[in-house]
Amino acid sequence: MIRTQVRISGMMCGMCESHLNSAVREAFPVQKVHSSHKTGMMEIISGEALDISELKKVIEATGYQVMDISMDQQEKTKGFLHILHRN
């Protein structure tokens, strides 16, 4: 799992978040995408690393400005209920 974090300038409301999330979902095979206008951040979870230049293009085509992009590897978590299935 790859977590991509994008700092975005210009998000002002929940509709901005929704617009950006939809644009990313349409352009990339992501598992999860979440944006916050309050923090100016977008978090994307995907199976493969995203093309950074293409991601920047997609976001900026919606009218927002990309300030920074970072990626890191995430371990798959088992969730809280896995403790109930211990041997």
Side-chain angles (χ1 to χ4, degrees), residues 11 13-22 35-38:
M11 284 192 288
C13 64
M15 289 302 292
C16 296
E17 297 167 358
S18 180
H19 187 218
L20 281 165
N21 292 346
S22 293
S35 299
S36 171
H37 72 278
K38 291 179 183 178

Side-chain angles (χ1 to χ4, degrees), residues 59-71:
I59 292 170
E60 292 186 345
T62 63
Y64 304 95
Q65 184 178 4
V66 173
M67 306 303 287
D68 186 45
I69 299 176
S70 64
M71 280 189 200

Side-chain angles (χ1 to χ4, degrees), residues 53-82:
S53 61
E54 188 63 28
L55 178 60
K56 187 174 179 178
K57 272 191 229 177
V58 167
I59 292 170
E60 292 186 345
T62 63
Y64 304 95
Q65 184 178 4
V66 173
M67 306 303 287
D68 186 45
I69 299 176
S70 64
M71 280 189 200
D72 58 27
Q73 186 79 26
Q74 295 291 298
E75 287 190 34
K76 202 170 192 178
T77 60
K78 295 179 182 178
F80 177 73
L81 296 178
H82 83 280

